[in-house]
Amino acid sequence: MHKASIVFRRELKSYFNVPIAWLFIVIFNLAISIFFFFVQQFFALDRADLRPYFSLLPLFFTILVPALTMKMWAEEKKQGTYEMLMTMPFSEFDLVIGKFLAAFVLLLIAIASTVFIPITMFLFGYFDPGQIFAQYIGIFLFAAACSAIGQYVSANTKSQISAFVVTMILLIILNIFSQIPLWFNMTGKIADVINWLSVNYHYNSFAKGVLDSRDALYFLIITTGFLYATMQKLYLGRWR
C-alpha cells in the first residue's frame, strides 16, 4: 500500500493545486442548499425529515462526479504521462487504488462539509441521529461506486469530454433502472433483477435511514468490480 499512498498523495495534491477541488466543494454545497431550501421548500414542508435532502445527493453526484473523475486517465493520455506511469515501478493496483482514493477522499470532504445542514436542522425540530448516520453511510457508499465507475470510463477514453459524457450517461442509466418496472408494469424475477441493477434502488433504503447489509454489499460489489476492471484494462494496456 506504500506505493498506492504515493499515487494517492500525488493525485490529491493535483486536485488542490488547481481550483477544481475548491470549486467542486463550493458548487456542490451551493447547489444542494439552493435546491433543498428553495426548490424543495424545506421550511414549507413543516416536518422534521431530511430524506428529501439526501435524495437529492445522487442527482448532483451524477453530474459532479463525472467532472471530477474524467481527468483521472484521460488527462494522463493527453499530456503524454500515461506511458511514463506504465513504466514506473507501480502495479496496476497501486495506480488504480491511489487514484480512486484521491477522488473518494475529495468526495468525502465535500459530503462532510454538508454536515452543517443536519446540525442546523436540529434547531427546528427533532431528527433521528441514527437515521442521519445511515443516510451518510449510504451517500459514502454511493460516492465510492460513482468514483470507481468514473475511473473505469476515464481509463477507456482519450478525451476528458468523452469520459465526462459517458460516465454521466452510465450513472443516469444505473439510477433510472428502478423506474423501468414501473413504466412497463413489470413484476416477478425480471423486475427484481432490474431493481437490483439500479444504484438508486439500493440507495433509497439508506435515504430512508435504513441500514441494510444487502444494499451495502451491492455498492461494494459495484465499487470493487469497476476497480478490478480498470486494473485489468491497465494490465492489458501494458502489453499492447
Side-chain angles (χ1 to χ4, degrees):
M1 286 297 290
H2 173 67
K3 291 181 179 180
S5 69
I6 294 174
V7 178
F8 162 71
R9 290 194 298 270
R10 170 186 178 266
E11 291 298 313
L12 191 62
K13 186 177 179 181
S14 72
Y15 283 128
F16 284 96
N17 278 346
V18 292
I20 184 172
W22 306 108
L23 283 174
F24 180 87
I25 294 171
V26 171
I27 291 174
F28 175 72
N29 276 278
L30 281 176
I32 195 72
S33 298
I34 290 171
F35 266 78
F36 180 58
F37 289 113
F38 298 103
V39 177
Q40 290 189 333
Q41 298 181 329
F42 169 78
F43 294 110
L45 297 176
D46 195 29
R47 68 175 184 267
D49 185 8
L50 283 173
R51 190 192 301 181
Y53 173 74
F54 284 96
S55 296
L56 280 173
L57 293 177
L59 172 64
F60 287 96
F61 274 10
T62 298
I63 300 171
L64 294 175
V65 171
L68 181 66
T69 60
M70 66 181 185
K71 66 183 284 292
M72 281 184 170
W73 292 106
E75 186 179 48
E76 300 280 9
K77 295 173 184 177
K78 180 181 178 181
Q79 295 181 347
T81 55
Y82 177 83
E83 290 76 11
M84 182 184 70
L85 273 178
M86 292 296 101
T87 59
M88 295 181 72
F90 294 117
S91 67
E92 289 78 15
F93 176 87
D94 298 328
L95 294 170
V96 172
I97 295 300
K99 284 178 173 287
F100 165 76
L101 289 177
F104 184 53
V105 166
L106 180 52
L107 288 172
L108 291 184
I109 294 172
I111 295 169
S113 68
T114 69
V115 75
F116 76 92
I117 291 181
I119 291 174
T120 303
M121 293 303 98
F122 277 105
L123 300 174
F124 301 96
Y126 173 76
F127 293 84
D128 183 359
Q131 185 181 51
I132 294 175
F133 175 76
Q135 289 165 333
Y136 269 107
I137 292 296
I139 200 60
F140 288 158
L141 291 170
F142 186 90
C146 290
S147 299
I149 292 171
Q151 178 171 190
Y152 174 75
V153 173
S154 183
N156 283 275
T157 55
K158 295 181 179 180
S159 164
Q160 293 189 48
I161 300 300
S162 298
F164 172 82
V165 172
V166 173
T167 302
M168 184 171 66
I169 292 174
L170 186 55
L171 292 178
I172 290 173
I173 292 172
L174 289 174
N175 270 285
I176 66 173
F177 259 13
S178 60
Q179 299 301 312
I180 294 177
L182 298 177
W183 293 340
F184 297 97
N185 196 27
M186 299 170 65
T187 58
K189 292 186 178 297
I190 295 178
D192 292 338
V193 170
I194 293 174
N195 283 329
W196 189 89
L197 291 172
S198 172
V199 294
N200 191 54
Y201 176 81
H202 293 280
Y203 176 74
N204 278 339
S205 295
F206 292 104
K208 296 173 184 176
V210 178
L211 278 175
D212 192 321
S213 59
R214 291 170 298 181
D215 296 316
L217 179 62
Y218 166 84
F219 283 110
L220 292 176
I221 290 173
I222 292 295
T223 303
T224 55
F226 274 95
L227 290 178
Y228 177 76
T230 307
M231 292 178 199
Q232 290 299 108
K233 167 66 178 176
L234 298 184
Y235 175 78
L236 293 174
R238 287 181 187 267
W239 307 105
R240 290 180 180 177

